[in-house]
Amino acid sequence: MEKTVRVRFAPSPTGALHIGGVRTALFNYLFAKKHKGQFLIRIEDTDQTRFVPGAEAYIIKALEWCGIVADESPLVGGPCAPYRQSERKPMYAQYAYRMVEEGTAYYAFDTEQELDEMREKLKAARVASPQYNAITRMQMKNSLTLPEEEVKARLASGDPYVIRIKMPRKEEVRLNDLVRGWVVVHTSTLDDKVLLKSDGMPTYHLANVVDDYLMKITHVIRGEEWLPSAPLHVLLYKYLGWEAQMPQFAHLPLLLRPDGNGKLSKRDGDRLGFPVFPMDWQDPFNPEDKASGYREAGYFPDAFINFLALLGWNPGTTQEIFTMEELTQAFSIERINKAGIKFDIDKAKWYNQHYLRQKPDNELAIYLTNELEKQQINCSLEKAAKIVSLMKERAIFLADIWSEAQYLFFAPSSYDEKAASKWSNEASIVLEDYAQQLIRATDSISSEQAKQILHDCTEKLQMKIGKAMPALRLALTGHAAGPDLMEIISLLGAKEATSRIKTALANFEKMLG
């Protein structure tokens, strides 16, 4: 019988969740749902020195904003609870001690000073990568070099120690990665990693493997930065007798800076002018350390997710717009790229613009009326919906609608300089006549009526309507470009439009002398 797919996203609560982490969570979620499996969130907080209050809540809330909801987690619970490694601490040590008994791990009593001295000696000998390994361990204080009685005495007296894996000296570790194919690493390049720290807390490596085994994880989908650790994890499965239950691995490509020069880091956001976190974050230890998020920048969660999904994965078709359900059906690990992918914020904006245009006008109108209330401006939902319909084609974010629509509520106090320089006496003649005809219309003028009146004026004066339009737009909005001008007149009303035209005529009469 085929095993139920179980995947996990296992962040550390050391700060805000980088968008690379969101993408990892998303790929895990899509894979689980595609195969009708379970998606778990496990908090890997074994390193208590880096713990940041509020980080765990931020991570889970950010994922929920994206629509990524766990089947099992510290909040939801589940059959494998608890889902915080700090709460699972008592169960890890037994596996480290078992490995010591079976000869695949050992006690190491070296002090920090002795470790530093070892590294300095290796550096002096021009060793490229000084590390505690199959060669150097034989010159250190551990249960492989000390007499058995001394080891027992040290343990009995409570001397501090760590437990290290006993890395084979000359073996090949093979891993068939679902993204990269066969990965082969020689153990001579690997060090004897610490599995259990002196405070009894496991390191990431031991806790990660033990938890994945106990939680019956079938696939480990994680970032490329964890690929160097994969051979160690493969050996741990082997030494603990769990090879048959070892999950399949898939290491995702890096998210690169827009210029392709290096990994997109948490510090790149403010420097490059776009968010690298899903939501705003403020470090509780350093309130001045703030970072902006996609949610507060005005991105829709479905646009953000759609954008992230195609960073390193492609559906094999030209389709670019996906609902979460469509992503779930289309997703496959086989179509994940090996190479790093450049981050393109303009593409993210393109997605947001698309999703904004798909939103019903009535829904967007609620946002606009809320903004208008802040300005103490009354506007019916019906009128707001008309404004939204007119403005949303030019908007990328919700805030752009209000930004673009302000001239519908405030007469222009200045005029586009380039457009103003092209104002002519002919334009003044048309606008004077248009204002006289416009004021005779009912205030609730339609766009069709406004256009017909302008057409009648230009025909009477034997001028082309196209020559009058730039000056009319400038008079009404102060801008050289914008949405349909007749719709703008309809929204302003005949009275307000006439007033603005007269004001512009007075201003430009002075300019023309």
Side-chain angles (χ1 to χ4, degrees):
M1 191 174 81
E2 208 172 295
K3 289 191 292 186
T4 299
V5 166
R6 285 174 63 83
V7 298
R8 48 65 169 182
F9 177 59
S12 297
T14 56
L17 178 62
H18 185 269
I19 55 173
V22 180
R23 186 192 62 167
T24 298
L26 174 63
F27 283 12
N28 274 280
Y29 178 84
L30 293 174
F31 184 76
K33 299 309 168 187
K34 171 74 175 284
H35 297 280
K36 296 179 171 42
Q38 285 103 41
F39 169 71
L40 288 65
I41 293 177
R42 185 175 72 222
I43 301 299
E44 301 201 337
D45 56 350
T46 55
D47 190 349
Q48 291 291 297
T49 61
R50 298 177 62 217
F51 175 79
V52 175
E56 178 188 318
Y58 171 93
I59 290 167
I60 293 175
K61 188 176 181 181
L63 292 178
E64 288 178 347
W65 173 73
C66 295
I68 302 172
V69 180
D71 298 298
E72 300 172 31
S73 74
L75 293 185
V76 178
C80 300
Y83 292 89
R84 295 184 187 94
Q85 287 185 336
S86 58
E87 297 172 6
R88 299 168 65 85
K89 177 181 173 180
M91 70 178 70
Y92 298 115
Q94 60 181 306
Y95 300 102
Y97 291 125
R98 192 175 97 192
M99 287 178 62
V100 172
E101 291 173 9
E102 294 173 355
T104 54
Y106 58 92
Y107 298 109
F109 301 97
D110 315 282
T111 64
E112 283 298 323
Q113 182 179 346
E114 289 167 339
L115 291 171
D116 289 339
E117 288 173 357
M118 178 267 287
R119 295 186 191 103
E120 289 303 318
K121 286 179 183 177
L122 292 175
K123 285 179 184 177
R126 297 185 178 180
V127 175
S129 181
Q131 53 188 7
Y132 204 121
N133 59 22
I135 297 174
T136 57
R137 68 188 176 211
M138 300 314 295
Q139 284 81 51
M140 304 302 291
K141 290 181 180 176
N142 54 59
S143 56
L144 301 177
T145 60
L146 298 174
E148 186 178 347
E149 290 305 314
E150 183 178 342
V151 171
K152 289 180 179 179
R154 282 176 174 266
L155 293 174
S157 63
D159 283 10
Y161 66 86
V162 299
I163 293 180
R164 292 179 178 271
I165 187 171
K166 186 181 178 184
M167 191 62 65
R169 188 166 179 179
K170 293 181 180 179
E171 282 188 20
E172 279 189 345
V173 181
R174 302 173 66 82
L175 167 69
N176 189 9
D177 188 271
L178 295 175
V179 173
R180 297 158 197 285
W182 282 102
V183 176
V184 182
V185 177
H186 201 278
T187 55
S188 61
T189 65
L190 304 176
D191 61 332
D192 291 4
K193 287 278 190 244
V194 173
L195 303 179
L196 197 70
K197 294 181 279 190
S198 56
D199 61 359
M201 186 68 84
T203 59
Y204 163 81
H205 303 291
L206 178 63
N208 163 68
V209 168
V210 169
D211 283 343
D212 283 348
Y213 169 74
L214 294 177
M215 293 182 178
K216 296 180 171 57
I217 299 301
T218 60
H219 297 78
V220 171
I221 304 169
R222 59 189 180 185
E224 182 183 304
E225 62 270 23
W226 292 110
L227 188 57
S229 300
L232 169 61
H233 299 166
V234 170
L235 285 175
L236 285 172
Y237 278 104
K238 177 181 177 182
Y239 292 163
L240 289 166
W242 300 335
E243 272 188 293
Q245 291 79 33
M246 184 172 71
Q248 291 182 275
F249 292 91
H251 289 87
L252 307 177
L254 293 175
L255 292 186
L256 305 176
R257 298 186 189 109
D259 61 4
N261 184 23
K263 179 183 175 183
L264 183 69
S265 73
K266 292 183 176 182
R267 296 185 183 89
D268 287 326
D270 292 332
R271 185 177 67 83
L272 297 174
F274 56 79
V276 293
F277 300 115
M279 304 187 313
D280 281 358
W281 166 258
Q282 184 175 34
D283 190 323
F285 294 132
N286 182 11
E288 293 183 3
D289 184 7
K290 301 177 182 178
S292 59
Y294 279 84
R295 184 182 69 174
E296 290 76 11
Y299 286 84
F300 296 112
D302 40 7
F304 177 60
I305 284 299
N306 202 153
F307 166 65
L308 272 189
L310 274 78
L311 284 178
W313 170 81
N314 74 85
T317 66
T318 57
Q319 183 177 350
E320 291 188 281
I321 305 300
F322 292 85
T323 63
M324 187 71 92
E325 180 60 32
E326 288 171 333
L327 281 173
T328 299
Q329 295 305 316
F331 185 78
S332 68
I333 290 179
E334 291 75 19
R335 299 208 66 84
I336 294 175
N337 304 329
K338 295 179 185 178
I341 184 79
K342 291 181 183 178
F343 190 85
D344 182 0
I345 191 62
D346 289 332
K347 193 67 176 180
K349 291 177 180 178
W350 178 85
Y351 273 107
N352 210 65
Q353 185 176 53
H354 170 83
Y355 279 91
L356 175 62
R357 289 175 178 176
Q358 302 308 306
K359 298 285 183 185
D361 292 344
N362 289 339
E363 181 181 325
L364 298 177
I366 294 171
Y367 159 79
L368 182 57
T369 54
N370 288 338
E371 288 299 311
L372 291 170
E373 283 178 12
K374 294 175 186 176
Q375 305 290 329
Q376 297 183 326
I377 298 172
N378 292 322
C379 179
S380 68
L381 274 174
E382 183 183 1
K383 183 177 179 180
K386 290 178 180 178
I387 294 172
V388 164
S389 177
L390 189 63
M391 297 294 177
K392 71 178 184 180
E393 291 299 311
R394 302 172 59 83
I396 294 174
F397 304 106
L398 274 173
D400 295 339
I401 294 176
W402 166 234
S403 178
E404 288 286 327
Q406 287 193 33
Y407 58 70
L408 293 174
F409 300 94
F410 305 108
S413 57
S414 61
Y415 301 95
D416 180 276
E417 290 185 8
K418 188 175 180 181
S421 68
K422 297 177 181 179
W423 189 282
S424 64
N425 284 319
E426 289 81 0
S428 293
I429 292 169
V430 176
L431 263 60
E432 282 176 6
D433 191 49
Y434 188 53
Q436 289 175 11
Q437 304 305 320
L438 200 60
I439 198 62
R440 296 173 186 168
T442 58
D443 193 42
S444 57
I445 190 170
S446 70
S447 59
E448 291 80 9
Q449 289 172 321
K451 185 175 182 179
Q452 185 61 51
I453 294 171
L454 182 61
H455 181 272
D456 292 344
C457 289
T458 54
E459 191 174 68
K460 179 177 65 175
L461 296 168
Q462 296 184 338
M463 293 184 66
K464 291 183 178 179
I465 198 169
K467 287 194 172 181
M469 293 290 270
L472 180 57
R473 182 180 297 279
L474 192 65
L476 295 174
T477 70
H479 300 292
D484 187 281
L485 193 52
M486 299 302 113
E487 293 289 349
I488 289 174
I489 293 173
S490 178
L491 286 166
L492 288 173
K495 185 178 178 181
E496 175 64 19
T498 302
S499 173
R500 293 188 184 192
I501 292 170
K502 287 182 176 180
T503 300
L505 284 167
N507 288 331
F508 285 102
E509 185 179 343
K510 294 175 186 175
M511 184 187 78
L512 294 172

